[in-house]
Amino acid sequence: MTEQTRYGDQLGVVTVTYFSGDTLERFLDTLEKATGRDVKVVVADTVSTDGAPEKAAQRANVHLLKIGENVGYGTGCNRGVAELDDSFGWIVIANPDLEWEPGSLDTLLEAAQRWPRGGAFGPLIHELDGTVYPSARLLPSFGRGIGHAVFGKVWPGNPWTRQYRQETGTPVERAAEWLSGSCLLLRREAFESVGGFDSRYFMYFEDVDLGDRLGKAGWLNVYVPSAGVMHLGGHSTSQASEKMLKAHHDSAYRYLADRHQGLLWKPVLAATKLGLALRLKLETR
């Protein structure tokens, strides 16, 4: 039996960049007011040529990791975390197109003290127009998942979507089944205990999968709406929307297939794969 690593109390932030542009500077500027603690930032860059990662690396607390290929979000995060030594017991995974509200990261860290079995902590995420993004959800089952996939866009208020997205009343601090990977505070002990993100997910569902595995390992995913961030939107993914839509469908299928194995599930999975392929054709024609 291998000895468990004991992590320190330092705070590291990992962000994966792919042509993030000017949003990265705003991310770093607002991060300075999000916590009173010293923070080391790892910018894990894939294949950017816009100069943004190099500009960020001129800051004293920023370390640039040049990956040199587009390995996907989860793998990029894993590689960024690996750049931090064992003194970093708290890890933030965040998209570079976020703006931090003042004190928001300290608020997440305070919540972590209230939830000793909390493995992941997610803030309230505002969209640019002020609406709240449903970032703390139930795990997708076949019933909820198919109902949401089929009716989500044509009937937004359908019961499957409302149940899956957990949009009910005033947001309160609570345990969720998974949290959006666009901004997460992670207890490193928890993150490493499940092996980090599953590298088979290129984009999308890596956060759903992580939340599920954390829960099965005895950790909690905790939603902390008293901490807030602003999501500026998919600056990187907007450049390849059809490719991203296909990645979303591929990841959705992988998630369901991993959790529904055996002969009895094969016809259901085959029908699901066909349905996702048809939906992709309809949405990209």
Side-chain angles (χ1 to χ4, degrees), residues 158-178:
N158 75 78
W160 302 282
T161 295
R162 281 191 289 109
Q163 185 186 29
Y164 170 57
R165 290 162 68 104
Q166 293 282 277
E167 296 173 294
T168 52
T170 305
V172 295
E173 186 168 303
R174 60 182 174 85
E177 292 189 355
W178 70 275

Side-chain angles (χ1 to χ4, degrees), residues 41-65:
V41 181
V42 178
V43 175
D45 184 62
T46 52
V47 290
S48 301
T49 56
D50 57 6
E54 289 78 11
K55 183 179 179 182
Q58 294 173 13
R59 302 183 186 225
N61 67 325
V62 175
H63 167 67
L64 174 58
L65 168 65

Side-chain angles (χ1 to χ4, degrees), residues 105-117:
L105 191 41
D106 281 340
T107 300
L108 286 175
L109 288 162
E110 288 162 11
Q113 304 309 312
R114 296 192 291 272
W115 296 78
R117 288 307 297 171

Side-chain angles (χ1 to χ4, degrees), residues 67-199:
I67 297 174
E69 59 179 317
N70 192 3
V71 294
Y73 187 69
T75 298
C77 290
N78 288 345
R79 293 198 187 178
V81 171
E83 294 291 297
L84 298 167
D85 63 41
D86 294 345
S87 65
F88 290 87
W90 297 100
I91 305 292
V92 174
I93 300 293
N95 286 356
D97 57 352
L98 287 181
E99 291 186 6
W100 299 85
E101 292 183 7
S104 52
L105 191 41
D106 281 340
T107 300
L108 286 175
L109 288 162
E110 288 162 11
Q113 304 309 312
R114 296 192 291 272
W115 296 78
R117 288 307 297 171
F121 301 85
L124 184 145
I125 301 174
H126 286 285
E127 301 284 10
L128 201 54
D129 63 2
T131 58
V132 175
Y133 177 74
S135 57
R137 306 189 186 188
L138 292 176
L139 290 168
S141 63
F142 261 112
R144 276 195 298 268
I146 292 172
H148 170 60
V150 172
F151 296 109
K153 290 195 174 182
V154 294
W155 178 20
N158 75 78
W160 302 282
T161 295
R162 281 191 289 109
Q163 185 186 29
Y164 170 57
R165 290 162 68 104
Q166 293 282 277
E167 296 173 294
T168 52
T170 305
V172 295
E173 186 168 303
R174 60 182 174 85
E177 292 189 355
W178 70 275
L179 301 162
S180 171
S182 61
C183 186
L184 284 175
L185 170 69
L186 294 156
R187 198 182 300 270
R188 190 166 186 183
E189 177 190 354
F191 185 69
E192 300 290 3
S193 75
V194 297
F197 287 108
D198 187 334
S199 60

Side-chain angles (χ1 to χ4, degrees), residues 8-52:
D9 199 44
Q10 290 196 65
L11 176 64
V13 173
V14 174
T15 187
V16 178
T17 53
Y18 175 81
F19 297 94
S20 57
D22 294 336
T23 60
L24 182 57
E25 287 298 302
R26 187 65 184 158
F27 173 91
L28 295 169
D29 287 342
T30 55
L31 177 61
E32 291 178 4
K33 297 179 181 178
T35 177
R37 297 182 54 169
D38 291 333
V39 180
K40 180 176 181 179
V41 181
V42 178
V43 175
D45 184 62
T46 52
V47 290
S48 301
T49 56
D50 57 6

